[in-house]
């Protein structure tokens, strides 16, 4: 009963100074909105990456050539060239539940058609590649296993390449392009995929049989990467382990720590990719939290002014029998109400900002319960923390002095 | 007759200054239930300090003060608050009503700090009755800035009476009012006193003190004289004798 009376009194005091209350709460409003919006944008970016990973297939495992760390040297995955075609074949042959395997060789190249040319990424792969990577086809068909064994001069191009050289996918089909002066016939155009989670345009590519790439174009004997997919619904961890053991054995390496290759699931790759954006999100949230503290100081400032202004009121209340704790509670509730009110408006503002960002930019914004609750709780804590000092000051006023105060 | 106020060698020394200031030095006094006492004295005589102690706003530094049988000098801040709430009604010179708060709510205020269960409805009814008692029931929903000084003081009296105190303390309560209104307020005091309420009134005006039953004069922190009022003024009669104010 007394608590509600005090609550009512506090509300009324705030309502009396609407403009001042709003301005005081502004710091908290902006702080809360900033935290939620920032974390929302960060989470949106993370979600986008995760979605892309899911679209690439969560059943994909990649084997990279080269040790990630040997004697303190970082050569970068794939730089050492320790994987061979035989390794890829062995994996396909000996590891159960592996669905499709493709070696992957890569290189930058310039392709020309008539008087046009275009720099793009060359991908040398097996016929299984299209299955592993779940490619669709805009035009034509993929090459087959016999094209690989025949070292055939056939190629598939991505949407970006077909647009640059031919204008349309239909136009590209059946045309002959030159890669390093070697003529290749375009037998198909890949369906568009967009950017990868590392920000690379996946459609800016030309895909040829790995045999053709290694012998005719790149002149290499080892492969930097093997990509494979596991049957749907089967666990990836045992497959990852079996591949590791198989390759250790084939490479005559006793200790896994000395491995000259690394086996990564798509999930692990995604985790690496999202690690950066997670750090960014945390950082943004932290910076925004500081603005919440600044907002709290604003509340303390105004509450101190308010206590001084209302010294006489405090004196009257004390004279007619209010205890110090009653006065403390009254001012504390005012401060908390201010910060909570600011918190609520801030949450609403954050949703509005998120809607605007979605409307006017490509950035996805994902608002989850976590940051909403965090910033709301934080604003309440700020209210208590920064409201306490002015409230205590009010409660310790000497009634005789206060009644004399003009 | 029971003692409402019992002071025994009451002292108040302020030691904050370099030289200690003896505001009240050894006051012994008894005020019985139903008395109407005026405390007089020049400024610096100690009457305000005495008033603050009587009102439990301040604690004596020596001697003893019993209010309605309770020893006040050793109580804590919170206990003093409760005592003010339950046993004392204050009436100030400048009214001290909460601004932008209706008369009714001002009167209700002491009940909000009272530690007892009383429904909102009961509180409202009681506050309304008090306002009627001081003749201002019609203005219950006016705020102080919509009321004249006399009306504000009536609201303050209603607020002082709301928790049925044993003692009404009036501190220069007619100091800001014109003669006619002052006498009206004093008339209310006399009526309340006739109904059995104990009143202690601080004033420096001899005219005002003549409405009480007993006058205590203070000087230099001591009681100089303590005499009953021989030719007591009656507010009702005084009002009749006042020259008619030009109502036009």
């Amino acid at each position: 009963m007394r608590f509600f009376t005090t609550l009512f009194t506090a509300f009324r005091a705030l309502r009396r100074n609407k403009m001042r209350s709003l301005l005081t709460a502004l710091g908290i409003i902006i702080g809360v909105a900033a935290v939620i919006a920032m974390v929302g944008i960060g989470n949106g970016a993370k979600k986008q990456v995760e979605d892309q990973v899911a679209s690439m297939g969560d059943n994909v495992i990649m084997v990279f050539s080269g040790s990630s760390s040997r004697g303190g040297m970082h050569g970068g995955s794939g730089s050492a060239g320790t994987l061979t075609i035989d390794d890829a074949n062995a994996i396909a042959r000996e590891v159960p539940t592996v669905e499709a395997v493709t070696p992957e060789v890569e290189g930058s190249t310039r392709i020309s058609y008539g008087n046009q040319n275009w720099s793009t990424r060359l991908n040398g792969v097996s016929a299984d590649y299209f299955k592993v990577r779940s490619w669709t086809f805009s035009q034509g068909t993929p090459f087959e296993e016999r094209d690989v064994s025949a070292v055939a001069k056939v190629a598939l191009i991505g949407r970006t390449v077909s647009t640059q050289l031919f204008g349309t996918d239909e136009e590209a089909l059946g045309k002959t392009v030159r890669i390093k002066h070697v003529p290749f016939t375009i037998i198909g155009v890949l369906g568009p995929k967009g950017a990868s989670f590392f920000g690379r345009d996946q459609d800016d590519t030309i895909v040829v049989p790995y045999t053709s790439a290694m012998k005719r174009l790149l002149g290499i004997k080892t492969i930097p990467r093997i990509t494979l997919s596991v049957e749907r619904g089967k666990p990836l961890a045992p497959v990852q382990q079996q591949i590791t053991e198989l390759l250790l054995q084939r490479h005559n390496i006793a200790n896994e720590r000395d491995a000259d290759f690394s086996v990564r699931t798509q999930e692990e790759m995604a985790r690496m990719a999202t690690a950066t954006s997670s750090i960014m999100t945390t950082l943004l949230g932290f910076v925004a939290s500081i603005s919440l503290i600044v907002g709290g100081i604003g509340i303390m400032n105004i509450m101190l002014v308010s206590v001084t202004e209302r010294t006489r009121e405090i004196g009257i209340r004390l004279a007619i029998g209010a205890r110090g704790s009653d006065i403390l509670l009254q001012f504390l509730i005012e401060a908390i109400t201010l910060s909570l009110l600011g918190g609520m408006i801030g949450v609403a503002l954050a949703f509005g900002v998120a809607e605007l960002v979605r409307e006017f930019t490509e950035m996805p914004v994902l608002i989850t319960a976590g940051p909403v609750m965090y910033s709301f709780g934080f604003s309440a804590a700020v209210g208590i923390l920064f409201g306490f000092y002015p409230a205590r000051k009010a409660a310790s006023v000497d009634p005789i002095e206060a009644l004399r105060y003009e | 007759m029971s003692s409402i106020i019992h002071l025994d060698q009451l002292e108040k020394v302020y030691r904050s200054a370099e030289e200690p200031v003896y505001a009240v030095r050894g006051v012994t006094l008894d005020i019985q239930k139903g008395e109407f006492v005026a405390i007089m004295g020049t400024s610096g005589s100690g009457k305000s300090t005495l008033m603050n102690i009587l009102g439990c706003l301040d604690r004596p530094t020596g001697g003893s003060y019993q209010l309605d049988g309770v020893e006040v000098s050793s109580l804590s801040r919170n206990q003093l608050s409760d005592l003010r709430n339950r046993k004392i009604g204050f009436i100030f010179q400048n009214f001290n009503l909460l601004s932008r708060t209706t008369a009714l709510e001002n009167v209700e205020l002491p009940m909000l700090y009272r530690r007892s269960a009383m429904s909102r409805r009961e509180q409202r009814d009681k506050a309304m009755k008090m306002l009627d008692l001081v003749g201002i029931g019609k203005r219950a929903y006016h705020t102080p800035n919509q009321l004249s000084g006399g009306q504000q003081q009536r609201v303050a009296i209603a607020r002082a009476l709301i928790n049925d105190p044993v003692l009404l303390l009036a501190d220069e309560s007619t100091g800001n009012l014109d003669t006619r209104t002052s006498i009206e307020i004093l008339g209310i005091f006399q009526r309340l006193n006739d109904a059995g309420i104990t009143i202690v009134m601080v004033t420096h005006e001899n005219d005002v003190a003549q409405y009480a039953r007993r006058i205590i004069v203070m000087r230099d922190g001591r009681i100089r004289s303590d005499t009953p009022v021989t030719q007591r003024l009656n507010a009702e009669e005084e009002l009749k004798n006042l020259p008619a104010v030009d109502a036009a």
Side-chain angles (χ1 to χ4, degrees):
Chain A
M1 175 65 194
R2 289 176 56 80
F3 177 78
F4 284 110
T5 309
T6 314
L7 193 72
F8 179 72
T9 307
F11 265 118
R12 217 164 57 166
L14 292 176
R15 221 176 36 214
R16 232 173 245 164
N17 276 311
K18 279 197 202 82
M19 194 60 187
R20 179 201 276 190
S21 301
L22 188 72
L23 288 174
T24 308
L26 199 61
I28 295 288
I29 293 174
I30 293 173
V32 168
V35 168
I36 297 176
M38 290 298 165
V39 175
I41 288 171
N43 280 341
K46 216 162 97 183
K47 178 78 177 3
Q48 199 175 31
V49 170
E50 282 163 2
D51 285 349
Q52 279 165 354
V53 170
S55 78
M56 285 178 84
D58 51 8
N59 58 337
V60 171
I61 292 178
M62 288 179 170
V63 185
F64 292 97
S65 168
S67 172
S68 51
S69 67
R70 173 175 284 175
M73 286 285 287
H74 275 262
S77 294
S79 58
T82 53
L83 293 174
T84 62
I85 299 299
D86 289 340
D87 287 335
N89 291 337
I91 291 170
R93 202 169 53 237
E94 291 178 33
V95 182
T97 73
V98 167
E99 183 182 49
V101 180
T102 176
E104 283 194 69
V105 294
E106 275 182 343
S108 282
T109 190
R110 184 176 292 273
I111 58 178
S112 56
Y113 172 74
N115 59 355
Q116 310 257 56
N117 65 73
W118 181 250
S119 282
T120 186
R121 206 174 62 254
L122 174 75
N123 254 327
V125 298
S126 78
D128 269 357
Y129 171 74
F130 305 101
K131 194 173 174 188
V132 172
R133 276 301 174 85
S134 334
W135 279 104
T136 56
F137 302 94
S138 161
Q139 291 289 323
T141 53
F143 51 76
E144 289 163 16
E145 207 48 55
R146 60 185 153 84
D147 295 319
V148 176
S149 15
V151 201
K153 291 183 273 186
V154 293
L156 285 96
I157 55 173
R159 167 63 56 83
T160 306
V161 179
S162 86
T163 309
Q164 291 298 330
L165 288 181
F166 304 100
T168 64
D169 296 352
E170 291 82 2
E171 199 58 34
L173 197 61
K175 297 287 193 313
T176 300
V177 294
R178 287 179 178 277
I179 310 173
K180 293 190 175 170
H181 307 298
V182 184
F184 276 78
T185 306
I186 293 169
I187 59 167
V189 178
L190 299 165
K193 260 196 173 178
S196 78
F197 53 74
F198 293 110
R200 203 163 61 178
D201 179 7
Q202 298 181 84
D203 299 326
D204 190 3
T205 185
I206 181 161
V207 183
V208 300
Y210 67 87
T211 48
S212 315
M214 290 167 82
K215 286 174 191 163
R216 293 184 194 276
L217 301 172
L218 301 171
I220 52 170
K221 293 212 159 46
T222 58
I223 52 176
R225 188 164 83 222
I226 300 168
T227 308
L228 56 106
S229 62
V230 177
E231 287 171 26
R232 286 275 160 203
K234 292 287 193 295
L236 296 189
V239 179
Q240 201 178 358
Q241 187 55 36
Q242 280 166 339
I243 292 171
T244 306
E245 280 164 17
L246 175 68
L247 291 180
L248 285 175
Q249 194 191 345
R250 287 181 59 85
H251 293 192
N252 286 319
I253 296 167
N255 193 333
E256 197 178 321
R257 281 169 52 193
D258 299 329
D260 56 0
F261 60 88
S262 53
V263 185
R264 296 261 178 273
T265 62
Q266 196 68 51
E267 204 190 321
E268 287 171 330
M269 307 281 295
R271 212 178 297 139
M272 282 154 65
T274 52
T276 326
S277 69
S278 288
I279 291 169
M280 273 317 277
T281 306
T282 312
L283 217 62
L284 283 174
F286 179 71
V287 170
S289 296
I290 291 176
S291 71
L292 266 180
I293 292 175
V294 174
I297 294 171
I299 286 184
M300 180 160 74
N301 188 18
I302 292 297
M303 288 308 294
L304 280 172
V305 171
S306 180
V307 168
T308 310
E309 261 184 14
R310 283 151 69 189
T311 301
R312 199 187 185 83
E313 177 194 327
I314 296 167
I316 296 170
R317 288 179 186 275
L318 286 172
I320 61 169
R323 288 183 177 186
S325 56
D326 293 322
I327 304 294
L328 183 103
L329 200 64
Q330 182 189 340
F331 280 89
L332 197 56
I333 285 178
E334 261 182 55
I336 295 171
T337 307
L338 266 180
S339 63
L340 280 186
L341 223 62
M344 277 191 263
I345 300 173
V347 169
L349 188 67
F351 277 95
V353 167
E355 214 39 64
L356 280 178
V357 169
R358 276 195 209 105
E359 189 79 17
F360 292 109
T361 71
E362 295 284 294
M363 271 191 286
V365 184
L366 186 71
I367 293 180
T368 52
V372 172
M373 268 154 36
Y374 160 79
S375 53
F376 200 69
F378 201 97
S379 68
V382 157
I384 295 170
L385 206 70
F386 290 101
F388 191 77
Y389 174 62
R392 242 193 55 145
K393 209 178 157 205
S396 58
V397 160
D398 175 31
I400 300 168
E401 294 289 322
L403 284 169
R404 229 180 272 152
Y405 189 87
E406 289 300 327
Chain B
M1 276 272 221
S2 57
S3 234
I4 294 293
I5 290 173
H6 174 75
L7 302 182
D8 189 14
Q9 287 302 314
L10 191 84
E11 276 182 23
K12 179 72 185 180
V13 188
Y14 292 103
R15 297 194 184 276
S16 53
E18 266 178 34
E19 296 241 321
V21 178
Y22 294 87
V24 176
R25 38 182 113 195
V27 169
T28 300
L29 176 68
D30 263 289
I31 294 175
Q32 307 299 322
K33 186 168 173 11
E35 280 201 76
F36 187 171
V37 182
I39 298 176
M40 294 191 67
T42 53
S43 62
S45 63
K47 67 179 194 303
S48 287
T49 306
L50 184 63
M51 183 79 184
N52 285 336
I53 293 172
L54 290 181
C56 299
L57 289 166
D58 208 351
R59 271 175 294 206
T61 49
S64 130
Y65 168 28
Q66 285 176 12
L67 171 66
D68 200 23
V70 180
E71 179 59 52
V72 173
S73 20
S74 58
L75 293 183
S76 72
R77 226 175 111 101
N78 278 346
Q79 285 169 319
L80 287 180
S81 280
D82 292 350
L83 213 58
R84 290 197 293 269
N85 186 248
R86 288 317 224 3
K87 297 198 185 276
I88 297 167
F90 283 100
I91 299 153
F92 301 95
Q93 178 173 9
N94 46 20
F95 325 129
N96 273 337
L97 298 175
L98 290 188
S99 58
R100 289 192 276 185
T101 306
T102 64
L104 188 63
E105 286 167 324
N106 263 297
V107 175
E108 283 174 343
L109 206 56
M111 287 189 284
L112 303 185
Y113 292 114
R114 192 179 168 139
R115 274 144 186 87
S116 69
M118 202 175 179
S119 76
R120 286 293 296 143
R121 209 189 156 74
E122 282 175 295
Q123 291 184 357
R124 185 128 294 191
D125 289 347
K126 190 170 182 194
M128 207 64 202
K129 226 160 65 187
M130 280 302 162
L131 283 172
D132 283 334
L133 185 77
V134 295
I136 201 166
K138 280 180 187 160
R139 311 248 169 184
Y141 296 99
H142 290 228
T143 54
N145 59 351
Q146 295 167 320
L147 298 172
S148 71
Q151 290 168 330
Q152 287 187 54
Q153 199 59 298
R154 284 165 193 260
V155 175
I157 295 171
R159 182 181 66 185
L161 292 171
I162 195 76
N163 273 349
D164 308 313
V166 295
L167 174 66
L168 213 55
L169 275 179
D171 189 2
E172 303 279 8
S173 45
T174 56
N176 281 3
L177 302 174
D178 60 68
T179 313
R180 172 172 286 274
T181 321
S182 294
I183 297 173
E184 282 172 5
I185 295 296
L186 289 166
I188 294 175
F189 286 169
Q190 286 189 331
R191 268 199 291 127
L192 292 171
N193 181 240
D194 290 344
I197 292 172
T198 314
I199 301 175
V200 172
M201 176 172 80
V202 167
T203 181
H204 64 271
E205 288 174 82
N206 199 32
D207 292 352
V208 170
Q210 298 306 317
Y211 289 86
R213 294 176 193 268
R214 175 182 171 191
I215 297 177
I216 295 170
V217 180
M218 302 250 328
R219 183 187 280 177
D220 298 332
R222 290 195 182 88
I223 293 177
R224 189 165 166 262
S225 70
D226 184 352
T227 51
V229 178
T230 44
Q231 289 181 312
R232 192 177 181 223
L233 294 174
N234 183 301
E236 264 177 62
E237 284 169 20
E238 290 303 310
L239 278 177
K240 278 182 211 152
N241 294 342
L242 271 184
V245 191
D246 41 319

